[in-house]
Amino acid sequence: MERVKVAVPVEGENLQIVTRTGRAPFFAIFEVGPEGVQFLELRENGHAREHAGEGHQESPEPHTEQEIEHHRHHLKAAQLGECKYILVRGLGPNMRDALQREGIIPIKISKKDGERADQVVTLYRPHLLAGTF
């Protein structure tokens, strides 16, 4: 059975899941295999760092080719392309399209699934391995 890498947008070492994927300070990277789930590392989200201190925007970023490529640039910098999936609570259209162009499949999760990335990845492990969503 194949092993897959999965990303989850998080606050930091506490692995608390962040709702706004594009504004998450870090992506937690996990490897999922038949024997279990292994946390590999945190990778900085340059997009969040770039927009730090802006707070929540009243209106979302425009859905444009430029914004999609801006998000894609930061995904590449975080080397998320090696991940097959990303588990997300919230995903704007620019990030969604950038992930699609990188070949990363977003999977919608909810707060009831858990607050910590390691818990949610473990919960979803059978589906991640089977590719059933």
Side-chain angles (χ1 to χ4, degrees), residues 77-129:
Q79 299 176 0
L80 290 195
E82 67 186 36
C83 295
K84 184 171 183 175
Y85 301 107
I86 185 168
L87 302 179
V88 300
R89 286 189 184 152
L91 192 61
N94 293 320
M95 181 62 89
R96 180 198 64 225
D97 289 353
L99 288 165
Q100 180 182 29
R101 290 179 187 185
E102 289 301 303
I104 304 167
I105 300 166
I107 298 165
K108 186 84 164 130
I109 60 173
S110 69
K111 282 193 174 200
K112 68 178 169 81
D113 294 326
E115 292 294 325
R116 288 176 43 100
D118 51 345
Q119 296 167 335
V120 176
V121 173
T122 299
L123 177 68
Y124 276 77
R125 182 164 95 33
H127 299 288
L128 294 165
L129 290 174

Side-chain angles (χ1 to χ4, degrees), residues 13-66:
E13 290 180 5
N14 64 7
L15 299 181
Q16 291 287 13
I17 298 172
V18 174
T19 298
R20 294 189 69 207
T21 302
R23 298 299 173 101
F26 297 94
F27 296 106
I29 308 300
F30 296 86
E31 187 170 71
V32 179
E35 66 288 341
V37 172
Q38 179 183 7
F39 170 71
L40 299 177
E41 64 182 318
L42 287 178
R43 296 185 186 164
E44 185 176 17
N45 178 5
H47 185 264
R49 182 176 24 88
E50 188 175 290
H51 294 281
E54 288 181 11
H56 186 73
Q57 295 175 323
E58 287 299 316
S59 59
E61 297 170 333
H63 187 224
T64 64
E65 187 64 28
Q66 182 180 357

